[in-house]
Amino acid sequence: MTNERRVLVHKNKQALAGSVAARFLTNMVDVLHEQDEAHVVLTGGSVGIAVLKAINESAARDTIDWSRVNFWWGDERWVPRADRERNEVQAREALLDHVDVPQTNIHSFGASDDHVDADIDTDALDVAAARYTAELLAHAPRGEQYPRFDVTFLGVGPDGHVASLFPHRSGIREREASVVTVRDSPKPPADRLSLTRPVLNSSNRVWLVLAGSDKASALGLALAGASRDEVPAAGIKGRYRTVFFVDSDAAAQVPESLIAPAY
């Protein structure tokens, strides 16, 4: 299988979410036919959650053996466990609470109100990063640092950020760590946890899902070869395939040669 990078344009956000949901369900059937379990990285944001809702509402939802699917997150906001700002809370409401996925398959980041038994000089956010790093390692093939992800969902911010890897911040340049802490984020809340670029790029398929005219410039720059420091989305590429699922507004600055027919 060769690495492909393409853009699929849909007429609006609803069509976009439905198309991505259908493709995901088809992909999971294929993956689970070929291997014992799947690993999926989820994203937050309005479009990312709309995709999860569309998966839940699909007539094909129960064709998947959800007990064999593991869910991870690309990033998380450092807020209390039950806070609706958490990507985990939104994902559970949209999909995870409606399918038969074991709780042990839901690998959520730590929360600000978790009990931390650590030295007084150890920051709780650092402890949470270390714990998620250990969780990734525990599910990794021997000799590797993280699981072999089958699909990684990502949103793209108007500034081109992905997960919580922001322009001109050290996170996008990290090469060794699997998880980084983010403090003083340019987008609230200030504190966050995020997977790093090497982890995101280890996925077989990276699906970047975005909608709205405010994303057009970032998408255009990412596809035009901007540096990953300027536009973090430009540095994201799956092992086999990278697809930008977008609506017509977000596609305003995409070169025609990169646009493929919608699924």
Side-chain angles (χ1 to χ4, degrees):
M1 188 181 294
T2 58
N3 191 299
E4 300 178 16
R5 195 181 198 198
R6 56 181 174 159
V7 181
L8 299 181
V9 181
H10 304 77
K11 62 181 180 180
N12 54 41
K13 179 178 174 180
Q14 182 178 5
L16 169 63
S19 175
V20 178
R23 180 171 290 234
F24 174 77
L25 289 165
T26 299
N27 181 261
M28 281 296 101
V29 169
D30 293 341
V31 168
L32 293 174
H33 179 72
E34 296 174 358
Q35 57 197 51
D36 292 336
E37 61 179 2
H39 289 271
V40 177
V41 178
L42 300 179
T43 186
S46 62
V47 183
I49 299 304
V51 169
L52 297 184
K53 289 180 179 178
I55 293 170
N56 183 51
E57 293 167 359
S58 171
R61 184 194 73 178
D62 295 332
T63 62
I64 305 301
D65 182 355
W66 295 102
S67 70
R68 297 164 57 198
V69 183
N70 287 268
F71 291 98
W72 305 79
W73 275 266
D75 71 327
E76 188 57 274
R77 298 153 178 172
W78 189 242
V79 293
R81 178 72 58 179
D83 195 311
R84 289 186 55 79
E85 284 294 300
R86 274 181 67 87
N87 294 331
E88 177 196 0
V89 170
Q90 296 176 35
R92 285 181 178 276
E93 292 179 351
L95 173 65
L96 302 184
D97 288 346
H98 306 281
V99 294
D100 292 328
V101 55
Q103 292 304 304
T104 53
N105 286 16
I106 299 176
H107 307 281
S108 58
F109 277 103
S112 63
D113 58 348
D114 288 349
H115 174 71
V116 176
D117 185 12
D119 297 334
I120 192 169
D121 294 330
T122 304
D123 184 271
L125 194 60
D126 292 328
V127 172
R131 287 179 174 175
Y132 210 68
T133 298
E135 181 84 356
L136 291 164
L137 181 62
H139 290 81
R142 180 173 295 183
E144 299 184 27
Q145 294 179 280
Y146 28 82
R148 293 178 179 172
F149 298 113
D150 298 288
V151 177
T152 291
F153 287 102
L154 290 171
V156 178
D159 61 353
H161 82 265
V162 291
S164 284
L165 305 177
F166 295 95
H168 308 294
R169 299 291 183 101
S170 60
I172 190 60
R173 297 188 290 271
E174 177 61 49
R175 295 182 179 181
E176 302 298 329
S178 299
V179 180
V180 291
T181 59
V182 180
R183 295 176 171 86
D184 193 25
S185 163
K187 179 180 179 181
D191 294 343
R192 297 162 173 252
L193 294 157
S194 181
L195 299 185
T196 58
R197 191 176 67 91
V199 182
L200 299 175
N201 285 354
S202 74
S203 182
N204 288 340
R205 295 168 180 82
V206 173
W207 293 356
L208 300 103
V209 186
L210 55 155
S213 58
D214 61 330
K215 310 294 180 67
S217 177
L219 177 59
L221 289 170
L223 295 171
S227 73
R228 65 174 181 259
D229 194 60
E230 293 279 347
V231 183
I236 302 302
K237 189 175 185 180
R239 292 178 62 232
Y240 298 149
R241 187 167 297 160
T242 308
V243 183
F244 291 83
F245 296 92
V246 306
D247 71 353
S248 56
D249 290 336
Q253 298 183 35
V254 175
E256 191 70 29
S257 60
L258 294 179
I259 298 177
Y263 177 73

